Structures are given as C-alpha cells and as structure tokens.
Amino acid sequence: MTIDLHPTQTPLSDEERRQRLQSPGFGRIFTEHMISIKYTADKGWGPSTLVPYGPITLDPAAAVLHYGQAIFEGFKAYRHANGGIVTFRPEANALRFAASARRLAMPELPVDRFLEAARVLITQDQAWVPSREGESLYIRPLLVATEAFLGVRPSHEYLFLLFASPAGAYFPGGVKPVTVWISDDYVRAAPGGTGTAKCAGNYAASLVAQSKALEQGCDQVVWLDAVERHWVEEMGGMNIFFVFERGGYPRLVTPSLETGTLLPGITRDSLLTLARDLGWEAEERRVSVEEWDEGLETGLIKEVFACGTAAVITPIGTVKSKRGTWEVGDGKAGPIATRLRTLLLDVQHGRVPDTHGWLTAMVPA
Ligand code: PLP
Ligand code: COI
C-alpha cells in the first residue's frame, strides 16, 4: 500500500509549533496534516491521501448530517526517551472501529489500512508528538456517511479521516478524584442498541445527562442499565472499576460486557491484565448500586475509579444520587488506582518492558 502525500506548502515554524505545544490541554490543537480515504459502494475503498489538516466540504444532504452514520476512535502515540514514537494497542482500536462500522451498517476499513494511516500521519507530523510527562499525541480516526440522499438507508458513500491532537491532561484538575451523579432518568445504552459501538449518537445522547450531573454539582455522570436501573455500567465516556479488599488483598471488579451495553474499553482490558500481572484478582461481573452503597458502608469497597484512553485513570471521590451522597475513600487518589495508573503509563512511555506486545513502533528510535 502507498499513500499519496500532499503535504502543506506553508508549514509552521518550529517556534510557532513550540508555542502551540506549550499547554495543549485536550482536543483543542491539531497537527498540520490528516489522512483521507473515500469509499463508494461501487469501487470500495479508494487510495489513502495525506493532505493539510483543514475543513472539509459536505453536501447539506449528506446522510451523516441527518441520520447520524458516524463512528470514531481514539488512541495515543507516545515519544519514548530513545526518540522513537509508539502507539498503544492500535490494532484493538482498528478492530473496534470495524465493529462500530458493522453496527452502523457502514463499510469496514481493513485493519492494515487503519494502521498505515496512523503510521504515515505520525511520521509526517512527528514533531507534534509532545514529550513531557503526561503528554501524548491523541489520534482521532472517524468515518462519516457523505452520500447526498434523504432516503433512510445505509449511505453509498463515506469519508474516512484520521487526524491528531497533541494532548496533556484530559481533566484540568489532574488526578484529583471526581464527583459523580448517578443518572436514574437518562440511560446511555439499551440491550440491542448501540452501546458497544463508538458512534457519534451515543455521545450526543449523553450530553443532557452530563448537564444534569453538572447542575447537581458533579463532574461526571454514572450510567445505570436501561432495564432495571439497578446495575452500574460506565462513567461518562469511561469504564468503571471497583476495588474490593479481602484479607488484605485487592480484588478488582468491573462491569461485564455480556449485556452488550458497554463500550469495550481498551484501557479496561489492559487494566484487567495488569492487575492479574500484579497478582491481584480481577473479575468481570455485574455490580449493583446497592452493592456499591453497602460496600462503602461496610468498608469492603476501598476505591472506585474510571478508565479510558483520554484520562487514563480517574478516581471517583464522591457519589451523589437521588438516594443520597456517599464518600469513597479519603478524597485522595487511592493506592490501587495510583499503582495501576503509574504502571500503565510506564508501559506506554516505555519505562518498563512491554511484556504483552502492546506497543507498535510508528517512528523508529
Ligand atoms: N466508554 C466509553 C463510552 C468511551 O467513549 C470510552 C472511550 O473511548 C471508553 C469507555 C474507554 O475506552 P478506551 O479505554 O478504549 O479508551
Ligand atoms: C476516552 O478516551 O475515555 C474517551 O471517552 C474519549 C472521549 C474524548 C470521547
């Protein structure tokens, strides 16, 4: 495979780039290029092209603007001390992207085309990969339906884009525990719905619940299952872990994926493995709101945290709901969340051996 390269004719100066990289925050600044691939039902996937990052044009009748065929992904590239640049488990993102496409009746981009797009963009824009602690280059692939047709059926034309955003901390407060609002009235996903897909509509539908959480003085919403409003599913756009303690040993529990209503997080999966590497028990099963409440009361639950690519691990410090307010721990990040966060970041930044083969070299050292 080859990619047609059409780089910008007006590159930024080193000084201008350094300024933009000063305090990147999350999702506000973008590198100078993007990868674009068109798909048509007749011809399938067209060639990949690297073009300057910038606005795209869409027909006002483009299907995505009306019926929401839109999926995306998110993963990170890290600059290692030896100068090489790696990404963390990008095939897992490519496979989830394909699964999301299937759920939305969209065409699947082959995994090798997805990985090639990432490699070419990261190579072109390698100067944009930050190197300070806690920083990375967030890669955002997306696929949208572009056919100008108002009938309701899968679009015959699509546009794949992959662009990148230098990133610092996702939550401006750092690893400070967040306060969450348990949503009883809005749900994120129902059985048979799109909860396992990373599709735009899931996030649109979450915003009003997130606003309600803010109104209640909370940072984030916690989702319950749609049927019984009893089982804990996720926190905002992150998976959730409970740390139980038995006989002095931690036991991690995270809601199981069986219900088909959770986003199968790659951070979640990685933490299950890392916890077992540390000799801890790690279990996937359902956890009810009552078990959460009682576990805090009896002291069986020591910590609760959320995890995802953007924010890595975020401890939950206070839980508010119509049932009342509960405190988790002492208002600081707990030792288990802290240990796992450090270990995961050490793997990603190449400070400890990559024993699971999770890192893919994008730019050689
Ligand atoms: N849950 C939701 C709804 C998400 O949007 C994300 C983010 O991608 C996650 C969980 C965490 O997934 P990952 O660890 O793959 O980033
Ligand atoms: C995550 O990485 O945890 C996310 O949910 C990404 C978000 C910006 C959609």
Side-chain angles (χ1 to χ4, degrees):
M1 283 171 299
T2 52
I3 292 197
D4 298 327
L5 301 179
H6 301 284
T8 175
Q9 297 303 303
T10 52
L12 287 186
S13 69
D14 288 351
E15 183 46 33
E16 215 165 335
R17 187 177 55 249
R18 257 197 299 279
Q19 265 179 17
R20 293 200 193 176
L21 283 172
Q22 205 103 108
S23 61
F26 183 86
R28 290 196 177 280
I29 60 167
F30 306 100
T31 72
E32 288 168 275
H33 298 92
M34 61 186 184
I35 306 290
S36 164
I37 313 178
K38 287 188 175 151
Y39 175 95
T40 62
D42 297 350
K43 301 201 181 105
W45 293 102
S48 304
T49 55
L50 176 133
V51 293
Y53 177 85
I56 56 170
T57 58
L58 283 178
D59 193 292
V64 63
L65 301 176
H66 303 268
Y67 311 127
Q69 272 187 297
I71 59 168
F72 69 99
E73 266 304 326
F75 60 101
K76 284 177 170 174
Y78 306 87
R79 186 185 295 282
H80 282 187
N82 64 9
I85 298 171
V86 306
T87 48
F88 183 74
R89 304 189 69 181
E91 315 76 12
N93 294 91
L95 290 167
R96 190 170 66 188
F97 195 61
S100 297
R102 283 195 296 278
R103 180 62 184 83
L104 278 277
M106 300 166 87
E108 292 175 42
L109 181 71
V111 169
D112 55 353
R113 299 279 312 259
F114 182 102
L115 295 177
E116 181 196 45
R119 185 185 304 277
V120 170
L121 182 73
I122 293 167
T123 302
Q124 177 73 36
D125 283 344
Q126 54 187 277
W128 287 91
V129 182
S131 51
R132 285 178 305 205
E133 181 58 36
E135 294 186 340
S136 58
L137 185 68
Y138 182 79
I139 315 289
R140 173 53 65 92
L142 71 149
L143 180 66
V144 295
T146 50
E147 187 187 1
F149 175 61
L150 296 181
V152 180
R153 59 143 171 79
S155 172
H156 291 164
E157 293 167 19
Y158 295 88
L159 176 65
F160 169 83
L161 294 173
L162 181 144
F163 62 91
S165 174
Y170 185 76
F171 292 119
V175 243
K176 254 190 13 229
V178 293
T179 298
V180 297
W181 172 251
I182 297 183
S183 175
D184 275 296
D185 35 12
Y186 296 107
V187 294
R188 178 185 168 274
T194 56
T196 59
K198 210 161 161 62
C199 61
N202 287 348
Y203 299 82
S206 77
L207 299 177
V208 67
Q210 175 63 21
S211 303
K212 270 214 135 173
L214 293 177
E215 274 169 27
Q216 299 291 336
C218 297
D219 306 298
Q220 285 289 320
V221 60
V222 163
W223 305 107
L224 299 181
D225 78 287
V227 179
E228 297 176 62
R229 309 285 164 101
H230 182 64
W231 306 100
V232 180
E233 298 210 321
E234 302 199 53
M235 181 196 91
M238 301 173 82
N239 294 115
I240 196 163
F241 273 86
F242 297 84
V243 181
F244 289 76
E245 192 182 280
R246 195 164 52 187
Y249 290 98
R251 181 163 48 96
L252 272 75
V253 177
T254 191
S256 50
L257 303 177
E258 278 162 18
T259 52
T261 51
L262 274 69
L263 204 274
I266 294 154
T267 316
R268 171 190 180 279
D269 184 71
S270 307
L271 292 179
L272 285 168
T273 300
L274 291 178
R276 290 175 187 136
D277 285 353
L278 290 167
W280 301 339
E281 277 181 63
E283 201 184 335
E284 298 171 76
R285 65 166 173 81
R286 300 184 101 185
V287 177
S288 69
V289 188
E290 285 72 18
E291 185 180 11
W292 189 351
D293 183 11
E294 281 168 24
L296 291 175
E297 217 151 85
T298 59
L300 223 58
I301 294 179
K302 296 293 184 203
E303 299 177 34
V304 184
F305 63 83
C307 67
T309 297
V312 192
I313 286 184
T314 300
I316 294 176
T318 305
V319 189
K320 294 188 186 177
S321 73
K322 289 182 185 150
R323 302 167 185 81
T325 298
W326 322 322
E327 300 298 332
V328 187
D330 60 4
K332 295 202 216 66
I336 301 300
T338 304
R339 177 94 188 265
L340 283 170
R341 188 173 201 280
T342 303
L343 181 53
L344 181 59
L345 286 170
D346 281 347
V347 174
Q348 291 168 336
H349 288 273
R351 292 186 289 254
V352 297
D354 172 27
T355 54
H356 298 287
W358 283 340
L359 303 183
T360 299
M362 292 277 146
V363 178

